[in-house]
Amino acid sequence: MADWKEYYQNEDDDVEQDEEDSGGDYKVSGRDSLVFLIDASKEMFIKGEDGEPSNFDMTMQCVRSVYTSKIISSDKDLVALVFYGTEQSKNPRNSFKHVYVYHDLDSPGAQRVQDIDKLLGEKGAQMAGKILGSGETSLGEALWCCSNLYSDIKLRLSHKRLMIFTCRDDPHGGDGAKDRQARTKAADLKETGVVIDLMHLTKPGGFDVSLFFCDIVSPPEDESELGVQTEPSRKLEDLQKRVRAKELKKRAQSRLTFSLGEGVNLAVGVYVLARTATKPPAVRLYRDNNEPVRTKTRYFHTHNGGILLPNDMKRAQVYGKKQIVMEKDEVDEIKKFDDPGLVLMGFKPMDRLKLHHHLRPALFIYPEEEQISGSSCMFTALLLKCSEKNLFALCRYIPRRNTPPRFVALVPQREEMDQSQTQATPPGFHVILLPFADDIRTLDVHEGPTASDEQVDKMKEIVHKLRFKYRSDAFENPVLQQHYRNLEALALDMLAPEPIEDLTSISCVLIVLNGSLLSFFILLCSHTFYVPSVPKVKMIDDRLGPLVQEFKDLVYPSDYNPEGKPAAKRKPAESGGGAEKKAKIEMSEEEMKNHVAKGTLGKLTVAVLKEACKQFGIRTTGTKKQELIDALTTQLSK
């Protein structure tokens, strides 16, 4: 009989599966595709001021970054690299002049990354001049060529995007015929579902988007997108940020109905803003040909060896020494509480939401106007009122069918923009899953010594001196980064992997507890705590100055030595000589026979079993617990 867990999964497993599956009736199938269309004109190769890289070199670094990230995160996606405005021509059937297809639309790989490495730096610019060259520009022909790349793909594509990299706001120099051809081909691409984005780069005199490219690029896909940026990218970080924001498709994990009351509903999309990044699982290969091995599971009858089908098996759970057997339909009916969705239960002040209520990374909801008209207006009104009154909404949350309900807190978040007017934080509600009463544990906390007010005030000064602004997106996981650097070095035939900077090896972490700080004070003042690399003691001392010594004087006695080890003290024996021996544990023969009859000899310790063997004169060949049990059972069963 199959295990009950195969039918009723743990709720944690359901939530983890929710993060991977799209859930509900909204599911995206197919592969993403991305085409880089890069200007190869002479203006792209002009170096910036103060030795800054050229626009072409900056673009190629960005393309390489996308290639490597695709290999890690989604190696099934398709990527292509096309240059326009070249002297040489290379494309399918050579139908288009001054268009060079460097990479066809295919999955990224190590060889493609090596090809891009050849176009980086000074030597890369020279290589590009020999292979590509700079010639006439016809963006219409380049877009036509990209359209053919998409039409030649027989796979199902879920998302198609084309990015244009250029520093020329008028690529055709006022040629009206070429401008009209480009606008026509761009419109044709948009009709086939291709999203065209402009990644314009800096140029002397500024880049005027309205001159030509405003008719080429696609409008924003939803209200959360800002569309084309007016300011060009001047640095590699800005360019990578914009590309990353565009090439990642915003996909809802699920789309649910948010019920505010009887007959008042709106539609929301549930998004995952953060999830744990893990190493990809190892792929099993057949040793003879290195082909992937596929595993299959079959269930067999224990008596006749016949194969069991799903309808031949039932699930059971033991309760009170009785086996409770249920059918699949019965289990589904028990698990079904209500239809998937969010139901508003009420509102609570934000101070009622505690840190220990946060069980796992929060989800994020955003209105879906396409599902229910008016959702955006109602959602915005609720968001503004909750934000103004500093309230969170308490809701019942069922992510999908046959899933137990959870209580969640909807924490409002308003939209924020950065200096370049790019959206830094989107407007919406964070969905924080709350614990049930059964999930909260009551612990008996050991009460340690309490610090005095003077000690606490002095430590506040130390904490203030060592504070720094923490941003989680500024620290990469060093284990993952080293893992992928090693794989990259093997795949690209590099002599050694690129070194990584371990940003987690900070010099100290300040932990502020209410009242009880002495254990942390000892670590801070003696500098004996361990971190992966050498702590920046000099920087800490420069910042703190005499504060550490002043704090030592408040906490420790004058003769305290943190390096010294206290001498081990021996407890005096009560009756003369050596240490007190443990008392022997003796059991009567009747008690041992009762253990044998009940089969509970295994609950006794090895020391007790050995003493019993000596007491009853039983000789054993070994000292293992099972051998002692067997010898006692044989002797006392006679």
Side-chain angles (χ1 to χ4, degrees):
M1 188 154 304
D3 189 5
W4 176 272
K5 291 182 179 179
E6 296 181 19
Y7 236 47
Y8 194 88
Q9 294 179 331
N10 193 339
E11 191 174 343
D12 293 340
D13 299 335
D14 287 343
V15 175
E16 291 177 3
Q17 188 175 352
D18 275 346
E19 295 180 359
E20 298 175 4
D21 300 339
S22 44
D25 57 352
Y26 177 65
K27 190 173 182 180
V28 178
S29 60
R31 303 186 185 186
D32 283 357
S33 59
L34 176 62
V35 175
F36 293 103
L37 184 58
I38 300 174
D39 187 2
S41 61
K42 294 180 180 179
E43 291 84 348
M44 288 285 289
F45 293 89
I46 299 176
K47 284 191 174 183
E49 299 177 357
D50 301 329
E52 294 181 357
S54 64
N55 287 329
F56 182 85
D57 188 48
M58 192 165 61
T59 301
M60 296 313 301
Q61 291 185 53
C62 183
V63 171
R64 188 190 189 280
S65 173
V66 174
Y67 268 60
T68 53
S69 65
K70 287 282 187 183
I71 291 175
I72 294 171
S73 60
S74 49
D75 60 334
K76 300 297 183 182
D77 291 352
L78 307 181
V79 186
L81 179 57
V82 181
F83 296 97
Y84 72 96
T86 61
E87 182 180 358
Q88 306 296 328
S89 301
K90 180 189 174 186
N91 48 75
R93 297 176 292 277
N94 289 325
S95 305
F96 309 101
K97 294 182 179 180
H98 310 294
V99 179
Y100 196 100
V101 179
Y102 199 72
H103 288 153
D104 290 327
L105 203 57
D106 202 352
S107 300
Q111 184 58 48
R112 292 196 165 198
V113 176
Q114 291 176 335
D115 294 341
I116 295 176
D117 288 340
K118 297 176 182 178
L119 301 179
L120 296 176
E122 290 280 352
K123 295 182 178 179
Q126 298 175 4
M127 181 69 69
K130 294 180 181 179
I131 298 177
L132 307 175
S134 299
E136 297 181 8
T137 299
S138 177
L139 186 59
E141 300 240 328
L143 295 174
W144 197 345
C145 178
C146 294
S147 177
N148 289 346
L149 291 179
Y150 279 115
S151 60
D152 292 341
I153 296 297
K154 305 303 179 185
L155 299 172
R156 183 177 179 181
L157 301 178
S158 61
H159 189 66
K160 296 183 284 187
R161 188 176 290 273
L162 186 146
M163 292 186 180
I164 302 175
F165 294 79
T166 183
C167 64
R168 297 185 294 168
D169 50 8
D170 186 14
H172 302 132
D175 191 332
K178 289 186 177 181
D179 286 351
R180 287 192 296 272
Q181 182 191 25
R183 293 188 179 97
T184 302
K185 293 305 175 185
D188 293 342
L189 280 171
K190 296 173 191 176
E191 288 181 0
T192 60
V194 178
V195 179
I196 303 176
D197 293 317
L198 175 64
M199 300 297 160
H200 50 300
L201 306 166
T202 182
K203 67 180 287 288
F207 195 105
D208 188 0
V209 179
S210 62
L211 193 62
F212 170 72
F213 279 100
C214 61
D215 300 326
I216 300 297
V217 299
S218 301
E221 296 184 68
D222 52 50
E223 296 178 358
S224 63
E225 289 196 5
L226 299 176
V228 61
Q229 300 290 316
T230 56
E231 291 296 325
S233 299
R234 292 180 171 83
K235 295 183 179 181
L236 177 62
E237 293 76 13
D238 297 337
L239 182 61
Q240 288 179 335
K241 184 178 179 181
R242 292 186 182 182
V243 171
R244 193 179 301 113
K246 291 289 185 179
E247 65 103 1
L248 293 176
K249 175 65 176 174
K250 301 181 183 68
R251 286 179 177 154
Q253 172 186 286
S254 59
R255 289 178 176 174
L256 303 174
T257 300
F258 187 4
S259 176
L260 302 182
E262 187 175 355
V264 183
N265 297 328
L266 63 148
V268 294
V270 182
Y271 297 85
V272 179
L273 297 185
R275 61 178 302 177
T276 304
T278 59
K279 295 179 183 178
V283 179
R284 299 178 181 232
L285 304 177
Y286 186 50
R287 63 180 182 180
D288 291 344
N289 53 14
N290 282 346
E291 290 293 328
V293 177
R294 298 181 60 186
T295 59
K296 292 184 178 180
T297 303
R298 294 287 186 269
Y299 293 96
F300 297 91
H301 197 283
T302 54
H303 299 303
N304 56 26
I307 297 179
L308 297 177
L309 299 177
N311 55 0
D312 296 329
M313 296 181 289
K314 298 181 181 180
R315 270 68 178 175
Q317 188 174 28
V318 178
Y319 183 80
K321 296 184 179 181
K322 185 176 180 181
Q323 200 174 53
I324 310 299
V325 182
M326 303 189 75
E327 299 286 348
K328 180 181 184 302
D329 298 338
E330 295 174 328
V331 176
D332 291 342
E333 191 67 26
I334 292 175
K335 291 171 61 178
K336 184 177 180 180
F337 187 86
D338 202 350
D339 293 330
L342 280 164
V343 178
L344 180 64
M345 310 298 291
F347 298 93
K348 290 283 186 182
M350 287 298 299
D351 57 6
R352 298 293 298 273
L353 189 63
K354 307 300 181 183
L355 286 176
H356 63 269
H357 292 161
H358 192 277
L359 297 179
R360 57 180 65 91
L363 303 173
F364 190 79
I365 60 172
Y366 192 80
E368 294 285 344
E369 189 69 23
E370 297 178 357
Q371 301 291 317
I372 299 178
S373 180
S375 296
S376 298
C377 181
M378 194 180 306
F379 186 90
T380 303
L382 179 64
L383 177 66
L384 293 178
K385 280 300 176 184
C386 288
S387 180
E388 288 174 1
K389 298 187 176 183
N390 198 27
L391 300 174
F392 70 87
L394 182 65
C395 299
R396 189 194 71 195
Y397 172 56
I398 300 179
R400 64 177 188 274
R401 293 185 299 271
N402 299 334
T403 302
R406 294 299 301 256
F407 283 116
V408 296
L410 302 188
V411 179
Q413 173 180 278
R414 291 197 177 188
E415 184 179 28
E416 295 180 2
M417 302 289 185
D418 59 11
Q419 296 178 351
S420 61
Q421 292 303 308
T422 303
Q423 189 183 75
T425 57
F429 285 96
H430 288 282
V431 183
I432 298 178
L433 280 79
L434 301 176
F436 287 113
D438 314 74
D439 303 328
I440 300 176
R441 301 174 59 193
T442 303
L443 303 178
D444 297 329
V445 182
H446 174 70
E447 295 185 3
T450 303
S452 64
D453 294 339
E454 190 177 4
Q455 293 170 349
V456 173
D457 292 339
K458 185 61 65 176
M459 177 48 65
K460 284 181 180 179
E461 296 182 38
I462 295 176
V463 171
H464 180 73
K465 290 288 185 180
L466 295 180
R467 292 176 69 180
F468 70 100
K469 292 184 179 180
Y470 171 76
R471 289 173 45 243
S472 58
D473 57 352
F475 298 89
E476 295 180 330
N477 187 337
V479 177
L480 284 179
Q481 294 301 315
Q482 189 62 56
H483 173 75
Y484 289 121
R485 294 290 175 87
N486 293 339
L487 292 180
E488 182 182 10
L490 291 173
L492 303 181
D493 297 330
M494 299 170 62
L495 296 177
E498 295 182 6
I500 65 168
E501 183 180 2
D502 186 1
L503 298 176
T504 62
S505 58
I506 57 176
S507 52
C508 66
V509 179
L510 299 181
I511 305 173
V512 181
L513 304 176
N514 294 329
S516 179
L517 300 171
L518 292 182
S519 59
F520 170 69
F521 296 163
I522 297 172
L523 295 178
L524 178 66
C525 298
S526 60
H527 296 301
T528 56
F529 51 93
Y530 171 77
V531 291
S533 64
V534 178
K536 299 177 182 178
V537 179
K538 186 177 184 304
M539 183 189 72
I540 296 175
D541 292 340
D542 292 341
R543 286 191 179 186
L544 296 179
L547 289 177
V548 173
Q549 186 59 44
E550 293 173 4
F551 180 74
K552 283 183 180 181
D553 297 338
L554 289 174
V555 176
Y556 305 115
S558 58
D559 58 346
Y560 174 73
N561 180 17
E563 303 295 335
K565 295 182 179 179
K569 296 181 179 179
R570 296 186 63 182
K571 294 182 180 180
E574 294 182 0
S575 56
E580 182 181 0
K581 294 184 178 179
K582 292 183 179 179
K584 294 183 178 179
I585 302 175
E586 295 184 358
M587 299 184 67
S588 64
E589 184 175 354
E590 185 177 351
E591 290 177 332
M592 293 301 298
K593 286 184 177 180
N594 288 336
H595 279 294
V596 171
K598 294 178 180 180
T600 57
L601 282 177
K603 294 184 178 181
L604 303 179
T605 63
V606 175
V608 174
L609 295 174
K610 286 183 177 180
E611 191 63 30
C613 289
K614 293 180 181 179
Q615 180 181 347
F616 300 119
I618 301 173
R619 294 184 179 180
T620 57
T621 56
T623 58
K624 293 183 179 180
K625 186 173 185 178
Q626 188 59 45
E627 294 174 349
L628 298 174
I629 292 174
D630 293 342
L632 285 169
T633 303
T634 303
Q635 180 67 24
L636 298 176
S637 298
K638 295 180 180 178

